Amino acid sequence: MGEQQEHAPEGHEHGYIGHKEDLLKRLRRAEGQVRGVHRMVEEDTYCIDILTQVSAATKALERVALSLLDDHLRHCVASAAEEGGEVAQEKLREATQAISRFVG
């Protein structure tokens, strides 16, 4: 896993706060799918069936990532763009790096 960084100023409300429960629900679902993959390997399940479950877990995490990215662009980046200057440039760099990690 990559290094975790905190870039939001203290007291800053994250863009996902309005649908945090939905994100947590999606993460619990992905977590259950990963546990299912583990169990399938332990039980010597057919490879294709395991791959199908891995694909489902991957898609679930991708949906979480896309939702967070959308929130970041709509909330943090838009807010920084209004402020302008170095703050805006930094938020755009962060978004570009996040997109690169996601698609790379």
Side-chain angles (χ1 to χ4, degrees):
M1 271 240 107
E3 176 181 315
Q4 185 177 7
Q5 299 176 8
E6 174 63 38
H7 293 285
E10 193 170 319
H12 174 81
E13 188 174 276
H14 297 291
Y16 61 82
I17 202 75
H19 64 102
K20 182 178 177 178
E21 286 306 314
D22 179 57
L23 286 173
L24 291 172
K25 179 180 172 183
R26 289 173 184 251
L27 287 167
R28 283 189 295 273
R29 186 175 303 130
E31 183 180 15
Q33 289 169 323
V34 170
R35 280 193 309 274
V37 169
H38 184 132
R39 186 175 50 256
M40 292 171 87
V41 171
E42 283 183 338
E43 296 172 356
D44 299 322
T45 304
Y46 183 56
C47 296
I48 295 302
D49 294 338
I50 296 171
L51 289 170
T52 299
Q53 189 70 8
V54 167
S55 177
T58 300
K59 292 294 182 197
L61 287 174
E62 286 175 351
R63 285 189 294 275
V64 169
L66 286 172
S67 177
L68 288 168
L69 182 58
D70 183 63
D71 291 336
H72 183 67
L73 292 172
R74 291 176 187 272
H75 187 264
C76 300
V77 174
S79 202
E82 288 177 8
E83 189 174 327
E86 185 56 34
V87 171
Q89 292 303 312
E90 176 59 26
K91 290 298 176 192
L92 288 172
R93 276 192 293 276
E94 284 178 355
T96 300
Q97 289 170 353
I99 293 166
S100 293
R101 284 191 303 272
F102 186 65
V103 298

